[in-house]
Amino acid sequence: MTGPDLALAASKAGGLGFIGPGSQPEDTIKDLITARKLFDAARTTTFNSPMFDDTLPIGVGFQLWNGDIKTATRAVGDYRPCAAWLFAPREGQKELDEWTDALKQAHPEIHVWTQVGSFQEALDAANSTSRPDVLVVQGAEAGGHGTTEGAMGLMTLLPEIVDAVNHLDLPLFAAGGIADGRGIAAALALGASGVVLGTRFLASTEARISKGYQQAIIQATDGAKQTVRTTLYNQLRGTHGWPEQYSPRGIINKSWHDHHAGVPFEKLKRLHDDAMKAGDSGWGPEGRLATYAGAGIGLVRSVEPAGVLIKRLQNEARDIMKILPRL
């Protein structure tokens, strides 16, 4: 959902934008080709810095469970994004180490980010001989797929990880439920080096999603009641193969309600596929399509350009942190 336009817009505004993994490993290369063209066209007016002469100022994400390491190393070697985000291995830290070593061999300057969702995953990554450059700590509030076993809310998960790895000088980025400057300031107070926002940027003008999906995000409230972790939507979409330790959070809709009312899966699948043909009306509480989103949806109320959004979030966080010493 975060293609080249959104990734570059985020980096232009002072963040670091990532291109998300595509449905096929080759999609990453296609997106990086587009990103390189967009970057080269804007280089002299927007990214006027010698450090970007040969490196794209964006990152790229890889889901390891269905990824292809040869395609990934070709992508980073040929198109040189500045960072690679690794998530969802089938074989735990061993597989993460394999990918980290291969990507750094293909592109020695790349920074590897590893996403974890539990205390033990964080320890495994931090103590690895192929330790990542950044550890993304994802709380259970996050949207999309996340760790199920051992998952906790960010408020308790992050500080415990901070205390356990602070001797390693390893940057920790907080993810999950952060949607405004208050969340950013809170995460930094808990010990994060930075923050990651996903759901909030679904409501950006550059996001690669349908208007129906986007409207469902900004109209939703009460993330505790209107979102749920379930693999039902994976099954309806025909997305099979996710390791069992991961499950996605999304907005509850008619598919979910009918499932709990005992409607047979075959009928749910038929209704889901019909909704796919219906366009924007297929999304939201009255729709049937997978609307992956985090529990912070009630804080997302408008669609804005990514650059405008980032500057406002930065200012909100700064204003809050200025008053904290006086409290």
Side-chain angles (χ1 to χ4, degrees):
M1 299 178 191
T2 54
D5 290 306
L6 178 52
L8 283 166
S11 293
K12 176 183 176 181
L16 176 58
F18 277 82
I19 292 175
S23 57
Q24 301 295 328
E26 296 77 14
D27 293 341
T28 297
I29 291 178
K30 295 176 184 176
D31 278 342
L32 284 172
I33 290 173
T34 299
R36 170 59 69 182
K37 292 177 180 178
L38 292 172
F39 171 63
D40 287 344
R43 181 194 298 254
T44 56
T45 57
T46 304
F47 298 100
N48 189 18
S49 170
M51 71 173 290
F52 294 134
D53 283 350
D54 192 40
T55 300
L56 280 171
I58 59 172
V60 61
F62 297 105
Q63 288 175 174
L64 273 57
W65 71 269
N66 67 343
D68 178 77
I69 195 168
K70 291 183 179 179
T71 303
T73 54
R74 177 189 161 201
V76 302
D78 289 351
Y79 300 100
R80 304 183 66 79
C82 66
W85 181 321
L86 307 182
F87 175 54
R90 286 191 181 280
E91 301 178 19
Q93 190 59 44
K94 173 185 175 182
E95 191 174 359
L96 287 165
D97 291 345
E98 179 185 1
W99 275 68
T100 298
D101 293 343
L103 294 177
K104 292 212 167 195
Q105 184 175 0
H107 178 11
E109 292 80 27
I110 200 167
H111 283 200
V112 173
W113 297 34
T114 294
Q115 178 181 326
V116 298
S118 70
F119 182 72
Q120 188 59 53
E121 286 178 324
L123 290 186
D124 291 344
N127 294 322
S128 168
T129 55
S130 299
R131 192 168 70 211
D133 299 288
V134 172
L135 200 60
V136 179
V137 179
Q138 185 196 58
E141 307 92 333
H145 288 76
T147 302
T148 302
E149 184 177 352
M152 296 178 64
L154 192 63
M155 179 66 77
T156 52
L157 178 63
L158 178 61
E160 186 173 9
I161 293 175
V162 169
D163 290 347
V165 306
N166 61 7
H167 63 288
L168 297 175
D169 193 28
L170 175 62
L172 302 177
F173 275 47
I178 303 171
D180 59 17
R182 293 170 295 184
I184 295 171
L188 296 176
L190 291 173
S193 309
V195 297
V196 175
L197 284 77
T199 297
R200 184 61 190 87
F201 282 89
L202 292 175
S204 64
T205 56
E206 298 90 348
R208 193 161 53 178
I209 61 175
S210 72
K211 288 188 177 295
Y213 193 141
Q214 203 165 61
Q215 287 301 306
I217 297 297
I218 64 174
Q219 291 172 2
T221 59
D222 195 350
K225 287 188 176 181
Q226 292 199 20
T227 70
V228 67
R229 280 196 176 275
T230 176
T231 60
L232 173 65
Y233 299 116
N234 280 359
Q235 298 164 27
L236 291 172
R237 296 174 68 217
T239 304
H240 303 296
W242 272 93
E244 62 181 12
Q245 65 265 35
Y246 303 104
S247 63
R249 181 183 294 279
I251 294 176
I252 293 173
N253 60 22
K254 284 187 174 181
S255 291
W256 170 260
H257 290 304
D258 284 353
H259 170 65
H260 276 265
V263 175
F265 179 80
E266 293 74 16
K267 183 176 180 180
L268 291 177
K269 174 64 173 170
R270 185 171 67 254
L271 292 169
H272 171 274
D273 292 349
D274 289 342
M276 285 286 293
K277 304 171 185 175
D280 289 337
S281 63
W283 308 98
E286 299 304 311
R288 294 188 173 275
L289 304 180
T291 313
Y292 296 130
I297 50 174
L299 302 173
V300 182
R301 304 185 182 101
S302 61
V303 178
E304 302 170 83
V308 172
L309 175 56
I310 287 174
K311 294 301 183 185
R312 194 184 74 248
L313 292 171
Q314 290 172 335
N315 290 334
E316 288 176 357
R318 287 194 190 100
D319 290 344
I320 292 169
M321 296 181 74
K322 284 178 183 177
I323 68 171
L324 288 178
R326 303 199 298 268
L327 296 179

